Each structure stands twice: as C-alpha cells, then as structure tokens.
Amino acid sequence: MRAKEQRPRVFPDWCDTGGKTGDGDALRHVLDEDGSIVWDISQDKRLPHYDHIEMSGFQVSVIVSYGVGDSGELKLNRHAVFPGLRTIPNDTRGSLSHNFGLEASAVIKVDGQPVESEYPRLIRIRGFLEITSITKQGLEIVRKLMPAVDEAAVIEKVTVRNCAAKILEVEVNVPAYLHVTDPAAGVAGSYELRANLANSDSEYVSNNACYNYRSMEPGESHTYYCLFSAAPLNRVLVVNAHAEERKRLDLVEQWFGALRLETPDRTLNAAFNYAKLRGSESIFLTRNGLMHGPGGGDYYAALWTNDQCEYINPFFPFLGYEAGIEQSINGYSLYMNHMGPLFSKPLVSSLIAEGTDYWNGAGDRGDAAMYAYGAARFCMANGDPQVAEKLWPGIVWSLEYCRRQKNEHGVIRSDSDELENRFPSGEANLFTSCLVYDALRSTAMLAKAMGKHTLTVEKYYLEEAAELRGAIERYFAADVEGYATYRYYEGNDILRSWICVPLVMGLFERKEGTLQALFSPRLWTENGLCTQAGDTTFWDRATLYALRGVFAAGEPDLALQHLTAITRQRLLGEHVPYFVEAYPEGNQRQLSAESGLFARVFTEGLFGIRPTGFRSFTCNPQLPSSWQEAALRDVRAFGTAFDLEVSRTGTGKRLRVYVQGELVCDQQAGLRDEFRVEL
C-alpha cells in the first residue's frame, strides 16, 4: 500500500534566517560591477551561514536553501513548486511541491572516487544563484540554478573544471531518479518527478545516466545541465535547457533595463532592479489565465486583494511588463465574479485553485477597499480606456459595498485587516478607512477621464472622500503612548506600525506626532517597523508603506536615512536580496508583492507620481538635501514611455522637473505642492 503523500518542508532544518540583519556596516555581500550580489566566502570568517532565495517561471517556482556548514561544506536543497499540477485538497496550498535533495543530484567522481563534499568559495546572485566550489580532489564545480521560463522544470547548469596540476579522470552520474506521487493525492492522478541530465551541446534532456570526461587536462572544463521537473504520469516533458537559460537571462535584462532608477546611491538603484525582478517573475500560467502569486512555498495559482489588487498591480503599468499587466486585468476581472448584486457578502479575500474556488477564512479584511484602491490607480496608469470600462463595475461595486459598511461614526467597518487577526484590529481599523478614502479620490478622477462626470459621479465620490476624511480624523486621531498620532481601532492604546497609512494617502493633520512615533524606539528596529510596540514581529509591508508615506509627507531626509539602512540589510546583509514577508512567521519568505511595495517607495514616494487620468498624473518629487539629482528612465505608464528627471538649481533652493526632456516645474525645494503633468 502506497504511503500517504506528505507536503515537503519548504526549508530544511539547517536553514533558518533567525531574523538576523548583520553587524552594523559589516555586510556579508557586496555589489559587483554588473549589479550582481556577491558573497566572497573565501574572505568570510563568520561561518557557518545559511540563506534561501526564491526564483520563479510561468510553470515552476524554486526556493533554493544554500549555505556553508560547520566544516566549510556546501549545503543545498531545491524546493520546487509546480502551480499547474494540483493536489488534493485543491486549496490555497494545493500545488505539487517536492524537495530535490542529494539523492536526486549528480554524483561526480574523480579518479573513480565520488566527490563527498564541495567547499564554496564564491556565491553570486543576479536572476540566478551561482555557487563556485572547490573539492579536495582539485576540481572546481560551478552550479548555476534558475527556473525554466516556460516549462515545469528547475535548471541547474554545472561546469566542472580541472584546477589540479595533473590530468584528472572525471565522470558524472545521475541516479535514475523518479518519484511517482499517490494517484489519490493529485487532481489529475499521479505525477512524475524526475531528475535528468543533458549535455551542454545537447538540445534536449538526455536519458543518459553517465557522462565520461576521461583524462581532463589541467584547466579543461565541461558543462552539463541537470533538470528537476514534474509532469502528469507517463507524459514525457521535453525541455530545451540551453534555450530556457537564455530566456531567463533575457527576461532579467528586460526587467533591469525598463523603468530604471538613477540616484546617487548605487545600493538603492540595485535594490530597485531586484524588486522589479522579484515582483515580475512570480506570475504563473493557470487554467484561468496568468495569475501573480506571492510564492513562499505556499501561495501559487491564487490571488489576494492585498498582495495583487492593492500592492503589486498598480505598479506594473510603470514597468510596462506585458505579462504583469495581463495578469492584473485578469485578476481584477476574476474578482468581479464574486461581487453579489445585493452587497450582502464581502468580497472574498482570495481566489484559489487557479481561480476555480475561493477562500474567505478571515472574513471581511477590507477586501473591497483593497480592490477599489488598486484597480482605480491601475486603470489610470495603464492608460487604456477599454480596460477601464471593463473594470469600472468592479470599482463601483467595491466602493458601494464599503459605503454600506460605515458605522455610526462614519468610518468603514471590517472584520480584520490584511494581517488577518494576527493582531487586533477592532470593529473598524485605520487602514481600511484610509484605503477607501484614497479609492474615492482616484475613482472621481477615473470617472472624469472616462467621461462619466455628469457632475453626479465625480462630485459624489469627491464628497464621499471629504466626508470620510473628516470621520477618520474624528474617530482615529488620538494620543497613543504620548504621541499625537492615531489609534488603530477604538480602544487601541499601543502604537501600531499601520499609523503610517494616513501619510501615504495624503492625510497630514497629525504628521509630526506620527513621524515621531514611527521612528521611536517603540516601533523602529533594525528590521524596520515592528508590528506593535513591545513585540518583535515584523512585516516588511508596513515598513515599505511607512517609507513611502514619509517621502509623501515632505520629509525626504528622514525617509532616506531609514530607507538606506533597511535596504542595505535586505540587499546585502544576512538574508538577500529582497524585502520579505515577515518574521518569525514564514522564515522571512521572499513574497513577491513586497518587492512591488518597495518599488512604489520611489515611483509614488520619492517622485510623488499619482495617476489622475489616462494621460496625466500629478507629481510632487521629494529630493533629499544630499542629492543634486535623481531620475526615472523609460517609465512605461499612461500609454507612452518617458523619462522623469529631478535636479537642483545651482543654489540648491529650487527643484526643476523635466518630463520627456521638457521643463514642467520649477519650484522651491521642500514644498508639498503637487503639479499636473499632461502627456
């Protein structure tokens, strides 16, 4: 009788980030000239050390846990997830996953003896993970891991080189690795998980189990590919390994090349590139079209109103990534199928199982607010009136649902917030009401752009926004722990990280007290904001919202100080190279939508871009006093492509803003006055 399938652990026992950030300026990694992130293990005395990185393609995601053990040996595990191969129960976590460990790895022999250990000397990251190791037998082994772009396979390109002063007899063997899953555990029955070899000069996967590189001369090298793949039973998966590698590298160059950030800080520029990569790669092909997924070993072939609708989708038009825009439209459209005509039920929190089912286990998290906030901004930045017409009913429904959730104080009720009752949020929380306020303003602008301003529509949403703004101030404004800021919900008397949200939405009435509270020892830590004062739990999403809000509030020097510190740690510290979900929950999983939030710190915070129409936006750049200039190159939003440049005059007292090379604003530095740009 076949044993019941168990979901494999995402992280092996030895790979725990521990919430570590590093020791001050002693960062573990450096930036190479080509933007690669490099860990020079040969110069590192702080061992052992372990880390993990997630990389994704349209049909696979892999979390590679790697590091250097107590004896300097390589530690390596490949946790592969195949979102299109569904398991039972077909729910949020119902993607086939498997750990390809040592038993699935190629066995390299030198002079007839297996290489028992590899000793890493250099690790490089730039859209792939490359590990360069040496062996006691004089062989150098370079492993380059990446996901296939279009196939359900993880690619490991291995180059072996003779570093000895003599001829070495080298051969490579792969066990006939085949794991067949329990047919009762799969939606489509059994799945086959395989490890195969392919020569570097072979177009397709080979069934050969051994490559014999007899008599390798000193300095001679050979390359082979190992593929870790999955497919339904008896279906042969044909993978062109070399072509998939080329497609992966081309995509990385595309993401790095579009929407380029230019600032005096090379670390910020690089982190922005990596955020574009991580935010864009985590899109999966499902039976209901393309779907962006957070990842992390659990969250694939599914959508959330916060991660996708609110966090990442409004960013994709700026990057101009076609798959990102397509999945955004698809995701917003799929949610419209769950908007009932009587407004009696909240919008579901998550569409799961490739969009064929839903999850609403946390009740109403303010999901309609998240949808309206993100969809209205997306429609204008995307610059396509036809897409806006398609999504308009969903935005209108969401705002009407929210209107019906007003309590007697005029703020918006919800059962919880996006932290899903991990921390208390009361009957009505600050985040949900602030999202609705911003969504009302954006929807009024969208209505005007669509020609729906028969006074009633535009005026209605603006009046609703003004009314809600007053209610937010009356209901949430409070002195909390001695700071003139906001309570997160009625009865809340402990500082919370989400007091930053009003700043993001342009509510500056309690700016000073809020800034003092955010960067007080009660909230700000070496890992950014803790969720609640006195607690060690942190969620990067709150820190990224806060940094965007501090820029928007006209405090660029304060924002830059803390942005630089946390970015250096995330990009070059102990757990690299992306902003993460949380800790201790999830072992600092590199959920992809957080990277979208990081990018928006710049597009909406530093450069102050807010969509106001299909071909227009307001702009309020906040240039730190230590910078003379900054730019966003090749912005793809609003139906065109343009550069946005900000520079100081000779005296430094005025800022000049250029769009497409034309001067659009010349104003005193430090103002919070927005100006409108028509494209």
Side-chain angles (χ1 to χ4, degrees), residues 403-414:
R403 186 189 68 81
R404 297 181 183 216
Q405 300 307 308
K406 283 185 180 180
N407 65 14
E408 65 273 21
H409 302 285
V411 295
I412 314 301
R413 296 189 303 267
S414 59

Side-chain angles (χ1 to χ4, degrees), residues 452-569:
K452 296 182 181 295
H453 58 293
T454 52
L455 272 195
T456 46
V457 178
E458 182 186 356
K459 182 181 178 183
Y460 168 73
Y461 286 122
L462 288 176
E463 289 177 347
E464 284 284 306
E467 183 179 312
L468 181 55
R469 178 172 187 157
I472 289 171
E473 179 66 21
R474 291 189 298 272
Y475 186 78
F476 293 108
D479 285 353
V480 181
E481 296 194 41
Y483 296 95
T485 182
Y486 301 93
R487 60 182 184 179
Y488 192 53
Y489 57 89
E490 186 177 28
N492 168 229
D493 58 0
I494 303 174
L495 288 173
R496 293 286 293 272
S497 60
W498 284 131
I499 60 173
C500 66
V501 179
L503 301 178
V504 178
M505 308 309 175
L507 303 176
F508 303 126
E509 286 85 349
R510 301 178 76 78
K511 165 188 162 181
E512 298 301 331
T514 300
L515 292 177
Q516 292 170 10
L518 288 172
F519 298 118
S520 70
R522 292 286 289 160
L523 281 179
W524 190 261
T525 74
E526 61 182 2
N527 274 303
L529 290 173
C530 61
T531 301
Q532 177 174 282
D535 197 290
T536 58
T537 301
F538 64 86
W539 291 68
D540 274 2
R541 59 191 65 175
T543 297
L544 296 170
Y545 256 100
L547 292 170
R548 190 193 337 165
V550 179
F551 274 115
E555 298 293 340
D557 289 349
L558 182 64
L560 181 64
Q561 173 190 347
H562 294 87
L563 173 63
T564 301
I566 190 67
T567 301
R568 281 167 53 82
Q569 294 295 348

Side-chain angles (χ1 to χ4, degrees), residues 71 112 200-201 212-213 297-298 313 348 402 521 528 536 568 582 604 614:
S71 301
S200 59
D201 57 355
N212 194 339
Y213 305 135
D298 286 327
N313 289 359
V348 297
C402 292
T536 58
R568 281 167 53 82
E604 299 175 26
F614 298 131

Side-chain angles (χ1 to χ4, degrees), residues 280-334:
S280 297
E281 68 176 348
S282 193
I283 295 174
F284 305 100
L285 182 62
T286 77
R287 70 177 65 185
N288 272 302
L290 294 179
M291 288 184 176
H292 189 277
D298 286 327
Y299 308 121
Y300 307 89
L303 300 167
W304 279 259
T305 51
N306 56 335
D307 292 74
Q308 282 70 51
C309 296
E310 178 193 340
Y311 298 172
I312 190 74
N313 289 359
F315 171 69
F316 278 124
F318 292 85
L319 183 61
Y321 181 45
E322 292 182 2
I325 293 171
E326 178 183 337
Q327 73 78 31
S328 299
I329 298 168
N330 185 44
Y332 287 128
S333 300
L334 288 171

Side-chain angles (χ1 to χ4, degrees), residues 40 165 261-263 283 286 359 418 466 475 489 519 604 625 651:
D40 187 349
L261 175 69
E262 295 180 1
T263 76
I283 295 174
T286 77
W359 176 84
E418 49 82 51
Y475 186 78
Y489 57 89
F519 298 118
E604 299 175 26
S625 61
T651 62

Side-chain angles (χ1 to χ4, degrees), residues 575-624:
H575 178 39
V576 302
Y578 307 119
F579 278 79
V580 302
E581 178 198 30
Y583 193 83
E585 181 176 323
N587 195 27
Q588 296 194 79
R589 293 181 289 200
Q590 294 167 335
L591 299 195
S592 58
E594 274 74 2
S595 285
L597 288 179
F598 176 76
R600 291 174 69 183
V601 171
F602 296 90
T603 56
E604 299 175 26
L606 175 64
F607 290 95
I609 300 173
R610 184 197 177 104
T612 58
F614 298 131
R615 297 292 184 273
S616 66
F617 59 92
T618 55
C619 190
N620 179 26
Q622 296 294 327
L623 198 65

Side-chain angles (χ1 to χ4, degrees), residues 329 332-333 336 371 375 378-379 387-395:
I329 298 168
Y332 287 128
S333 300
M336 290 170 64
Y371 182 99
F378 170 83
C379 284
V387 170
E389 286 287 354
K390 180 178 182 179
L391 302 184
W392 175 258
I395 297 170

